[in-house]
Amino acid sequence: MQRVTITIEDDLLAALDGFMARSGASNRSEALRDLVRRGLAEDAPEAAECVGVITYALDPSQRDLGRAVPESRQRHHDTTIAALSVPLDHTAAVEVTVMRGTVGSVTAYANSLFLQRGVLHGQTALVPIRTEIEFHLHGARAHTHEHLRVQERWQD
């Protein structure tokens, strides 16, 4: 880790302090690191591995989205980790889909959802990961399986 000095306008510093209070960051350095990571997520390499959290609101009755969206996840069964639908009233729900794959594939799927009529307020949060294959012994039984390791920054 390195110490850096920055010059910042008073109103921008006040906004940073407000962000720090809302985000639960314990100091300005932590708040700045969080903001820089968020900003750099927009420059994530297309081929980088990630877990993506896709959130959106939708009217399930419009264009039969209540059937079409789960079917689209089923077509991506190899990359969909989990999905949650929360009904808000008789015509709206908030949904969360967690996917893994490359930045390009996860964002392409999310953007295809967001373009559907009846889907509102779509956002995607990407977490950089690295897949590791590990060998374990459990008693006399040995096996390998994957671990998804969260990374500090994007890697190709």
Side-chain angles (χ1 to χ4, degrees):
M1 213 177 274
Q2 294 186 21
R3 180 175 294 276
V4 296
T5 303
I6 63 169
T7 303
I8 190 168
E9 296 88 4
D10 290 339
D11 58 339
L12 196 53
L13 184 61
L16 176 63
D17 288 342
F19 171 79
M20 188 177 80
R22 288 188 310 278
S23 70
S26 60
N27 56 54
R28 288 177 176 161
S29 292
E30 189 177 316
L32 275 171
R33 283 192 297 272
D34 185 41
L35 289 170
V36 168
R37 280 189 195 100
R38 290 181 191 195
L40 291 175
E42 296 175 15
D43 295 329
E46 291 274 318
E49 285 186 273
C50 74
V51 168
V53 180
I54 304 164
T55 61
Y56 49 94
L58 77 145
D59 176 349
S61 66
Q62 192 166 50
R63 299 187 69 221
D64 203 19
L65 288 174
R67 179 190 53 77
V69 171
E71 285 179 358
S72 74
R73 284 194 302 263
Q74 187 66 33
R75 285 191 300 276
H76 293 87
H77 65 89
D78 54 332
T79 58
T80 301
I81 297 172
L84 170 70
S85 181
V86 180
L88 299 177
D89 61 21
H90 295 287
T91 61
V94 169
E95 296 198 348
V96 178
T97 301
V98 181
M99 299 186 81
R100 71 181 271 199
T102 64
V103 169
S105 66
V106 171
T107 57
Y109 176 77
N111 290 335
S112 72
L113 278 177
F114 302 157
L115 291 174
Q116 299 282 334
R117 186 177 301 133
V119 174
L120 304 168
H121 307 291
Q123 290 193 14
T124 306
L126 300 175
V127 177
I129 62 166
R130 181 181 73 247
T131 303
E132 294 179 356
I133 307 295
E134 291 194 0
F135 178 79
H136 292 280
L137 284 173
H138 293 283
R141 192 174 135 257
H143 72 278
T144 60
H145 62 265
E146 292 183 345
H147 287 266
L148 304 180
R149 304 285 187 210
V150 174
Q151 303 300 292
E152 285 287 322
R153 61 189 147 281
W154 294 104
Q155 301 170 348
D156 286 322

